[in-house]
């Protein structure tokens, strides 16, 4: 829970570290297991304690694997274990080949897992054996953070491993956020079971005491605090290390902050309210905001003057906010605080009064709120009809996420046992509820949930002879990123004699769309034609026509005639807008945006179409699925034209939807592309690990190849040329895509990795790999000859890069080859590869000790372009070469078109070294905003803000935010 670029010391945890060492290592022997679950509130220091304990256990000779659970639940099975294995393998050196082989063998076990129910036990046994091979007789410690988000499969694995059925000496150290284990949280049951084992302990991590609080604050400030300030920190923080750190940094940097011991603060503010105002705040907290004035009057039963007086008091105490549409809590956290202050009977009575008041409302039916309040009042019989009505109303308004919540609530209500004198739920067809819940889950991006509900609908078996259910399952599988089984399902429908012409037309159209996403454009075109023929004989097949036409147009534009293909896709969009459903409109926008920003390289229009399409599909209720994918396309287009700052904002806005499956992969890859360009290694690694986990069961080339390309690009900036080589060679082995541009990109990264290895002399050039890369370049050249003109133009750019990289391998590099590459990318208005080509051209000229003036000009141009983008690694390499060649670089870069400096006037000399994005961040720092607040304003992650702040400190040669703010204010004349 770090909040700044500096790291606070670990204070007051010596006893806990000693206890962890004893429980996890010293007190167990071969074949024994142990576990410690560190339980504590947010900010109490669980993650930091785990990191320090892991380091000490590693120093003591244990094999330590560390991973973190993702806040996406079962959508990413075994992610923390896979992440831990990948991290461990990455840290192994060349002398640990045997251990690395064991790690990779275990990772292959996960990839090859079929997912059959019968194989679950066998998988657990194989994992146990694999961990034994990795440990090689040493103690093994599995460290897992944020266990409250653990997926079901990892929970089962922990139970199996801790049963101690083998010879492995295994310990588990995990952190759990205490406030998350509420209600029926699945981890509560697991911890209850594990507590029965004598080797399992739960360590409740308490806040710091007064002495340690003072010590931590003094370490951050750099000197002991004055008595008054120390008292204030202690009283406001309650010893919570995160709050202590924030308050101490505020003191150090001269900022005034508000204490975050929220429960005590809010309860004390509520307790001082007059009696009626106290009741009003409790009522609003239990209601669905905004709570209308008339409804609050009904619930509280107060005379109008008394109600007005009570509400005025609550508003005056800054607990409620009044508006024309009703009343809201100023801080929603108050509702969570107050929920624990009422007895269950009091809460139920309050919700009953809400439900009765809404039932008496003369105008609107308020079905969603009725369902909510009747359910919490303990009346499932009255809540179920309201939930179903609310679901249908949400579907009518394209609110699929809301509809899914209501259908899920209806499922739960239909099976709720009735106790006491309340009405039983009416009889409903559970199959209908499951079907509706599954479809709305898919529409709202909950693809794993949709598959689970569909499996429940079919009794856990595959749909069998039901063609409609097979098509539905294929749709859900494809959306979840499981393309191979989805393709098999579609083909099964097409080959089945029991399926109707309508069902075969649907299967053919959706298979064409899937093949298009897999990069198999020729196959997609063939299936699209088949779908159109089938649809022509069936009435009411608008959806099939839209999907098939979009796929056919994309295929023709890529392989044959760009203009004709583009016209077909545009017509498909018009058809969808005129007569299609929400998903038809979304698919048509998706294909048009991809075609423009990809093969046709009409980037500006493509970005506009993608963003316009995102707005349109959001109106249709498909924000979490198609909107996120369209915004990912827009992000990639903005990245290529050099508008990285705008791309950051777009991807940050899309991530607010918390997508899953293939939608999440698209967005994570788009964000990772920016992170690699910026040189944010930690953010890039995190996204690549998440993508690798989601693609572990197999993924489309459109996802796998970009992931491997990004992995190679990141590894090269880190000087890990062997890792880059492995990623590229894997891509060459696995690709079946017709996309020559993607293959050309992969080949360039491979040749660049070999050239970098040759130049650095740290890793020997792999001549076999080079031969494979040459073959790949030849394949791209052959295929691009017959491709459509714009596709060929794009491929030519990467061929120029490949040709130039080969000259680096052949000798000193050919300046003319790099000049041709720079010209190719200038024509396409892609600044990043153009800047890189100039760097290499200058390097080749300097090696020849000729035309140093030309080399200097090229370096200055490349530096200006890279600095304007914010491409930190590329900028650093340019500066390094310029320093060796004694070339003076202009310290002030012209911002790229997308960069908007906050100040209206030009930057002064002191700030001239900052990029436009860094100027934006510095201006926000000078306002006293935290990294989190800056990230929210600029639509960037808090971690990326930390990277920017670090760069600002380095460039301004300062150590604190106060010093940086002073420079900003001085140069703004304030």
């Amino acid at each position: 829970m770090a909040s700044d670029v500096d790291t606070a010391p670990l204070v007051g945890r010596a006893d806990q570290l000693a206890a962890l060492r004893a429980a996890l290592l010293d007190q167990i022997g071969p074949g024994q297991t142990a576990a410690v679950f560190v339980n504590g509130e947010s900010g109490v220091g669980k993650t930091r304690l785990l990191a320090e304990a892991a380091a000490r256990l590693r120093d003591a000779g244990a094999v330590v694997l560390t991973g973190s659970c993702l806040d996406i639940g079962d959508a990413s099975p075994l992610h923390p274990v896979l992440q831990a294995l990948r991290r461990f393998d990455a840290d192994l050196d060349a002398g640990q080949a045997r251990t690395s082989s064991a790690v990779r063998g275990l990772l292959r076990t996960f990839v090859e897992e079929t997912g059959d129910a019968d194989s679950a036990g066998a998988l657990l046994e194989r994992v146990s054996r694999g961990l034994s091979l990795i440990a090689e007789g040493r103690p093994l410690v599995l460290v897992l953070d944020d266990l409250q988000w653990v997926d079901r499969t990892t929970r089962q694995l922990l139970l199996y491993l801790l049963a101690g059925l083998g010879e492995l000496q295994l310990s588990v150290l995990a952190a759990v956020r205490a406030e998350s284990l509420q209600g029926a949280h699945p981890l509560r049951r697991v911890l209850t079971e594990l507590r029965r084992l004598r080797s399992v302990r739960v360590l409740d991590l308490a806040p710091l005491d007064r002495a340690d609080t003072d010590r931590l604050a003094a370490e951050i400030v750099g000197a002991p605090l004055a008595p008054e300030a120390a008292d204030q920190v202690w009283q406001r923080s309650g010893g919570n290390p995160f709050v202590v750190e924030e308050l101490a940094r505020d003191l150090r940097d001269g900022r005034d902050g508000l204490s975050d011991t929220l429960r005590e603060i809010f309860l004390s503010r509520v307790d001082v309210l007059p009696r009626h105002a106290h009741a009003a705040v409790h009522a609003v907290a239990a209601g669905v905001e905004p709570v209308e004035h008339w409804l609050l009057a009904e619930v509280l039963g107060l005379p109008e003057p008394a109600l007005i007086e009570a509400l005025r008091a609550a508003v005056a105490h800054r607990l409620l906010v009044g508006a024309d549409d009703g009343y809201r809590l100023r801080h929603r956290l108050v509702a969570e605080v107050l929920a624990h202050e009422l007895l269950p009977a009091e809460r139920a009575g309050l919700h009953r009064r809400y439900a009765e008041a809404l039932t008496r409302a003369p105008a609107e039916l308020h079905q969603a709120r009725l369902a909510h309040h009747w359910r919490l009042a303990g009346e499932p019989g009255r809540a179920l009809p309201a939930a179903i009505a609310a679901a249908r109303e949400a579907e009518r308004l394209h609110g699929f996420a809301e509809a899914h919540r209501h259908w899920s609530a209806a499922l739960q209500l239909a099976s709720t046992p009735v106790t006491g004198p309340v009405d039983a739920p009416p009889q409903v067809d559970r199959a209908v509820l499951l079907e509706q819940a599954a479809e709305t889950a898919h529409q709202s991006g909950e693809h794993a949930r949709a598959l689970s509900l569909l499996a429940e609908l079919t009794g856990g078996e595959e749909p069998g002879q039901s063609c409609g259910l097979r098509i539905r399952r294929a749709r859900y599988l494809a959306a979840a990123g499981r393309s191979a089984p989805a393709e098999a399902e579609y083909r099964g429908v097409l080959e089945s004699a029991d399926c109707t012409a309508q069902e075969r037309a649907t299967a053919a159209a959706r298979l064409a769309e899937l093949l298009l996403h897999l990069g198999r454009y020729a196959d997609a075109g063939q299936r699209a034609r088949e779908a159109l023929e089938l649809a022509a004989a069936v009435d009411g097949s608008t959806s099939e026509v839209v999907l098939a036409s979009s796929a056919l147009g994309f295929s023709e534009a890529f392989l044959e005639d760009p203009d004709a293909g583009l016209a077909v896709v545009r017509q498909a969009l018009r058809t969808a807008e005129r007569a299609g459903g929400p998903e038809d409109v979304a698919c048509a926008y998706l294909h048009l945006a991809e075609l423009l920003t990809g093969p046709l390289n009409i980037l500006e229009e493509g970005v506009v179409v993608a963003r316009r399409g995102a707005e349109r599909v959001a109106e249709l209720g498909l924000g979490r699925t198609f909107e996120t994918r369209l915004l990912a396309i827009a992000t990639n287009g903005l990245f290529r034209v050099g508008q990285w700052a705008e791309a950051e904002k777009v991807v940050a806005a899309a991530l607010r939807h918390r997508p899953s499956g293939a939608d999440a992969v698209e967005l994570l890859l788009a964000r990772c592309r920016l992170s690699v360009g910026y040189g944010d290694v930690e953010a890039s690694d995190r996204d690549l690990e998440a993508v690798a986990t989601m693609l572990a069961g197999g993924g489309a080339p459109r996802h796998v190849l970009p992931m491997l390309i990004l992995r190679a690009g990141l590894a090269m900036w880190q000087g890990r040329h062997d890792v880059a080589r492995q990623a590229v060679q894997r891509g060459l082995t696995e690709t079946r895509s017709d996309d020559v541009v993607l293959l050309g990109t992969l080949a360039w990264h491979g040749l660049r990795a070999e050239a970098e290895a040759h130049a650095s002399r740290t890793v020997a050039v792999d001549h076999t790999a080079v031969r494979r890369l040459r073959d790949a370049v030849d394949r791209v050249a052959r295929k691009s000859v017959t491709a459509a003109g714009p596709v060929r133009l794009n491929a030519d750019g990467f061929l120029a890069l490949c040709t130039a990289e080969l000259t680096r391998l052949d000798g000193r590099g050919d300046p003319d080859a790099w000049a041709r590459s720079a010209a190719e990318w200038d024509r396409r208005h892609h600044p990043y590869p153009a800047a890189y080509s100039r760097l290499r051209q200058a390097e080749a000229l300097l090696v020849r000790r000729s035309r140093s003036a030309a080399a200097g000009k090229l370096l200055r141009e490349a530096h200006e372009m890279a600095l304007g983008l914010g491409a930190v690694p590329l900028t650093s390499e340019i500066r390094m070469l310029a320093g060796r060649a004694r070339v003076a670089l202009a310290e002030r870069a012209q911002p790229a078109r997308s960069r908007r400096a906050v100040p209206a006037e030009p930057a002064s000399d002191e700030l001239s070294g900052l990029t436009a994005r860094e100027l934006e961040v510095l201006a926000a720092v000078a306002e006293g905003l935290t990294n989190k607040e800056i990230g929210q304003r600029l639509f960037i992650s808090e971690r990326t803000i930390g990277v920017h702040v670090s760069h600002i400190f380095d460039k301004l040669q300062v150590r604190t935010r106060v010093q940086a703010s002073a420079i900003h204010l001085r140069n703004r004349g304030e």
Side-chain angles (χ1 to χ4, degrees):
M1 220 176 192
S3 63
D4 211 333
V5 294
D6 52 344
T7 301
L10 185 64
V11 170
R13 302 305 188 196
D15 292 343
Q16 289 87 347
L17 287 169
L20 291 176
R21 162 73 186 255
L24 299 173
L25 191 61
D26 297 339
Q27 296 174 0
I28 63 172
Q32 295 181 324
T33 62
V36 177
F37 295 91
V38 180
N39 186 49
E41 65 181 2
S42 297
V44 81
K46 301 181 296 297
T47 300
R48 185 67 193 285
L49 181 66
L50 260 61
E52 184 66 23
R56 297 191 181 193
L57 291 168
R58 191 179 292 112
D59 292 341
V63 175
V64 181
L65 307 178
T66 62
S68 300
C69 302
L70 292 176
D71 187 16
I72 56 176
D74 294 336
S76 184
L78 290 171
H79 170 81
V81 179
L82 293 169
Q83 181 190 57
L85 290 169
R86 292 193 189 97
R87 286 177 172 174
F88 183 72
D89 186 44
D91 291 335
L92 295 174
D93 55 40
Q96 297 172 293
R98 181 177 175 180
T99 304
S100 180
S101 176
V103 174
R104 294 176 185 179
L106 183 52
L107 287 170
R108 284 195 298 273
T109 297
F110 293 115
V111 173
E112 295 165 2
E113 172 62 20
T114 62
D116 298 336
D118 294 339
S119 67
L123 172 63
L124 297 176
E125 185 177 347
R126 288 197 297 273
V127 172
S128 180
R129 288 201 304 267
L131 291 175
S132 297
L133 292 173
I134 293 169
E136 296 181 302
R138 294 171 291 171
L140 188 143
V141 183
L142 181 59
V143 180
L144 301 177
D145 200 6
D146 286 325
L147 198 68
Q148 70 277 357
W149 294 329
V150 67
D151 61 276
R152 182 186 297 108
T153 311
T154 304
R155 291 198 301 269
Q156 294 171 347
L157 178 62
L158 288 178
L159 287 170
Y160 181 86
L161 293 175
L162 290 175
L165 300 179
E167 294 298 318
L168 177 65
Q169 180 180 331
L170 172 77
S171 300
V172 173
L173 174 60
V176 184
R177 189 176 297 175
E179 60 266 34
S180 297
L181 299 187
Q182 303 297 325
H185 195 290
L187 190 60
R188 292 184 69 182
R189 186 177 67 254
V190 174
L191 290 178
T192 300
E193 294 178 26
L194 289 174
R195 280 177 187 262
R196 298 172 184 165
L197 302 175
R198 287 181 299 175
S199 59
V200 174
R201 290 182 54 193
V202 174
L203 174 63
D204 291 316
L205 195 61
L208 302 176
D209 60 21
R210 172 61 190 264
D212 286 330
T213 298
D214 290 350
R215 180 181 161 204
L216 176 58
E219 289 281 352
I220 293 171
V221 173
L225 273 62
E228 183 179 349
D231 288 339
Q232 188 179 49
V233 169
W234 168 246
Q235 293 169 5
R236 299 170 90 184
S237 69
N240 183 292
F242 173 72
V243 180
V244 173
E245 292 171 21
E246 291 299 297
L247 294 174
R249 289 191 181 101
D250 288 343
L251 287 172
R252 182 193 65 191
D253 299 342
R255 294 194 305 270
D256 291 327
L258 176 66
S259 168
D260 284 331
T261 49
L262 294 174
R263 181 176 298 276
E264 291 75 11
I265 289 175
F266 284 126
L267 279 178
S268 64
R269 287 167 61 185
V270 173
D271 288 342
V272 300
L273 289 172
R275 181 168 59 90
H276 291 328
H278 189 280
V281 172
H282 271 283
V284 174
V288 178
E289 297 182 342
V291 180
E292 298 92 333
H293 185 85
W294 68 265
L295 181 57
L296 202 55
E298 289 276 336
V299 170
L300 291 173
L302 292 174
E304 185 69 8
L307 177 61
I308 293 293
E309 183 181 354
L311 292 171
R312 282 189 181 279
V315 171
H317 281 76
R318 300 182 64 80
L319 288 165
L320 292 185
V321 176
D324 292 340
D325 57 351
Y327 300 95
R328 294 177 174 84
L329 294 170
R330 183 174 292 275
H331 302 283
R332 191 60 200 169
L333 186 61
V334 174
E336 300 177 25
V337 173
L338 295 182
H340 299 286
E341 300 304 305
L342 294 178
L343 295 172
E346 290 179 299
R347 285 197 299 272
L350 195 52
H351 287 292
R352 180 183 298 278
R353 293 201 297 276
Y354 264 114
E356 290 171 345
L358 289 167
T359 302
R360 293 192 299 267
E364 303 176 22
L365 295 178
H366 312 290
Q367 296 295 345
R369 288 198 284 178
L370 263 179
H372 170 77
H373 288 300
W374 279 129
R375 178 176 61 84
L376 294 178
E379 293 271 9
R382 297 186 177 186
L384 179 56
I388 293 174
R392 297 196 185 282
E393 179 66 10
E395 285 181 341
R396 187 182 68 80
L397 298 173
H398 307 302
F400 296 113
E402 293 78 7
H404 175 60
R405 285 197 293 272
H406 294 313
W407 286 120
S408 297
L411 274 169
Q412 184 179 9
L413 290 166
S415 58
T416 299
V418 176
T419 58
V422 297
D423 295 336
Q427 292 297 314
V428 295
D429 188 344
R430 184 170 178 80
V432 172
L433 297 181
L434 285 167
E435 187 175 337
Q436 295 292 340
E439 183 61 21
T440 51
H442 165 70
Q443 297 283 12
S444 58
E446 295 283 355
H447 307 305
R449 170 74 171 157
L451 286 166
S452 174
L453 290 165
L454 193 62
E456 186 177 349
L457 176 63
T458 58
E461 301 292 333
E462 292 194 4
Q465 298 301 314
S466 174
C467 297
L469 286 177
R470 294 189 72 175
I471 292 172
R472 180 173 289 198
R473 182 170 184 269
R475 288 171 55 222
Y476 299 170
L477 286 167
R482 298 167 61 185
S483 54
E487 182 178 352
E489 288 286 5
Y490 285 136
R491 291 187 184 277
V493 172
L494 289 169
E495 294 166 2
S496 173
D498 298 326
C499 298
T500 66
Q502 174 72 66
E503 289 168 335
R504 287 198 297 275
T506 301
R510 292 199 173 276
L511 178 56
E513 182 195 16
L514 176 62
L515 292 171
L516 194 67
H517 287 300
L518 293 175
R520 292 155 58 184
Y521 302 128
D523 293 342
Q526 179 183 347
R527 288 296 182 182
R529 292 184 180 90
E530 178 185 352
L532 290 171
E533 290 177 6
L534 290 167
V538 179
D539 292 332
S541 56
T542 301
S543 294
E544 290 74 16
V545 170
V546 169
L547 290 176
S549 298
S550 297
L552 179 60
F554 197 110
S555 174
E556 287 185 352
F558 191 96
L559 299 173
E560 301 172 16
D561 188 335
D563 294 334
L566 181 58
V568 171
V569 178
R570 291 189 193 277
Q571 180 58 44
L573 177 57
R574 288 192 289 269
T575 301
E577 288 281 20
R578 184 177 65 253
E583 198 167 329
D584 304 327
V585 175
C587 285
Y589 265 114
L590 188 69
H591 293 315
L592 179 58
E594 281 190 314
L595 184 60
L596 291 168
T597 59
L600 301 188
N601 198 44
I602 309 175
L603 295 174
E604 288 79 4
E605 183 185 354
V607 170
V608 170
V609 168
R611 299 181 82 166
R612 185 172 66 233
E615 293 176 2
R616 179 74 177 100
V617 301
E619 296 171 358
L620 299 175
L622 300 174
R624 194 176 177 213
T625 52
F626 286 97
E627 183 187 0
T628 59
R629 294 177 70 175
L630 283 161
L631 291 178
I633 293 171
T635 300
N636 291 331
L638 291 165
F639 176 85
R640 293 188 185 105
V641 298
Q643 297 184 26
W644 291 10
E646 186 65 20
E648 278 186 287
K649 295 179 181 179
V650 172
V651 77
L655 283 166
R656 292 173 182 165
H657 292 296
R658 299 179 63 81
S660 64
D663 308 316
V665 171
E666 296 271 1
L667 211 53
L668 288 172
L669 288 171
R671 183 172 70 175
C672 184
R673 195 167 285 111
L674 285 164
S675 297
V676 171
Y678 281 135
D680 191 340
V681 174
E682 187 174 356
S684 303
D685 269 331
R686 184 182 62 246
D687 285 344
L688 286 171
E689 286 180 354
V691 169
T693 298
M694 287 187 272
L695 298 181
R702 63 180 281 118
H703 297 148
V704 175
L705 292 188
M707 177 189 72
L708 295 172
I709 289 168
L710 288 169
R711 175 62 71 193
L714 180 63
M716 279 186 277
W717 287 131
Q718 295 175 295
R720 301 167 67 191
H721 309 306
D722 54 337
V723 174
R725 173 189 296 151
Q726 291 166 8
V728 172
Q729 293 299 312
R730 176 188 160 191
L732 292 176
T733 300
E734 295 184 5
T735 182
R736 293 175 54 199
S737 174
D738 297 332
D739 195 330
V740 292
V741 176
L742 199 55
L743 183 57
T745 310
L746 183 70
W748 168 47
H749 277 72
L751 289 169
R752 179 182 160 201
E754 298 300 335
E756 296 286 350
H758 175 72
S760 67
R761 304 186 188 281
T762 56
V763 179
V765 173
D766 187 331
H767 296 290
T768 301
V770 173
R771 281 196 298 273
R772 290 191 72 194
L773 290 164
R774 287 181 183 270
D775 291 342
V777 172
D778 292 342
R779 189 158 72 250
V780 172
R782 287 195 306 272
K783 286 187 174 183
S784 64
V785 170
T786 58
V791 177
R792 186 166 60 250
L793 187 67
N794 273 338
D796 286 347
F798 287 103
L799 288 172
L801 281 167
C802 290
T803 301
E805 295 286 6
L806 283 168
T807 67
R808 294 177 72 198
L809 282 170
D810 294 339
R812 297 178 297 174
D814 183 357
D816 294 335
W818 285 112
R820 287 190 292 272
S821 176
E824 289 282 352
W825 291 107
D826 283 342
R827 288 171 57 196
R828 292 160 181 75
H829 307 292
H830 289 207
Y832 188 86
Y836 175 80
S837 298
R838 283 172 169 80
L839 165 65
R840 296 299 174 215
Q841 183 185 357
E843 182 181 59
L845 288 171
L846 291 169
V847 167
R848 284 170 164 73
R849 301 182 184 280
S850 62
R851 300 172 62 189
S852 58
K857 179 182 178 184
L858 288 166
L859 285 173
R860 283 187 284 273
E861 290 175 354
H863 183 253
E864 185 175 0
M865 297 165 77
L867 198 59
L869 291 170
V872 174
L874 181 58
T875 302
S876 298
E877 188 164 353
I878 293 167
R879 285 174 172 169
M880 191 178 302
L881 180 60
R884 291 201 305 265
R886 297 183 180 179
V887 172
L889 297 175
E891 288 301 319
R892 179 179 177 185
Q894 184 69 29
R897 287 176 293 172
S898 66
R899 297 275 174 170
R900 297 180 295 104
V902 171
E905 58 272 23
S908 70
D909 290 342
E910 279 188 292
L911 303 180
S912 61
L914 302 184
T915 66
R917 172 59 87 195
E918 289 166 352
L919 287 169
E920 288 181 296
V921 172
L922 178 58
V925 168
E927 291 180 37
L929 301 183
T930 65
N931 287 357
K932 183 176 182 180
E933 290 168 339
I934 298 172
Q936 291 171 345
R937 173 183 289 185
L938 301 181
F939 304 100
I940 311 173
S941 72
E942 185 178 351
R943 192 182 301 277
T944 301
I945 293 296
V947 173
H948 284 311
V949 172
S950 179
H951 292 167
I952 291 168
F953 283 14
D954 289 342
K955 292 180 181 181
L956 298 182
Q957 297 183 358
V958 298
R959 298 180 60 188
T960 70
R961 297 167 86 96
V962 172
Q963 293 170 334
S965 300
I967 293 176
H968 171 80
L969 296 173
R970 181 166 62 246
N971 286 280
R972 288 293 162 266
E974 296 178 9

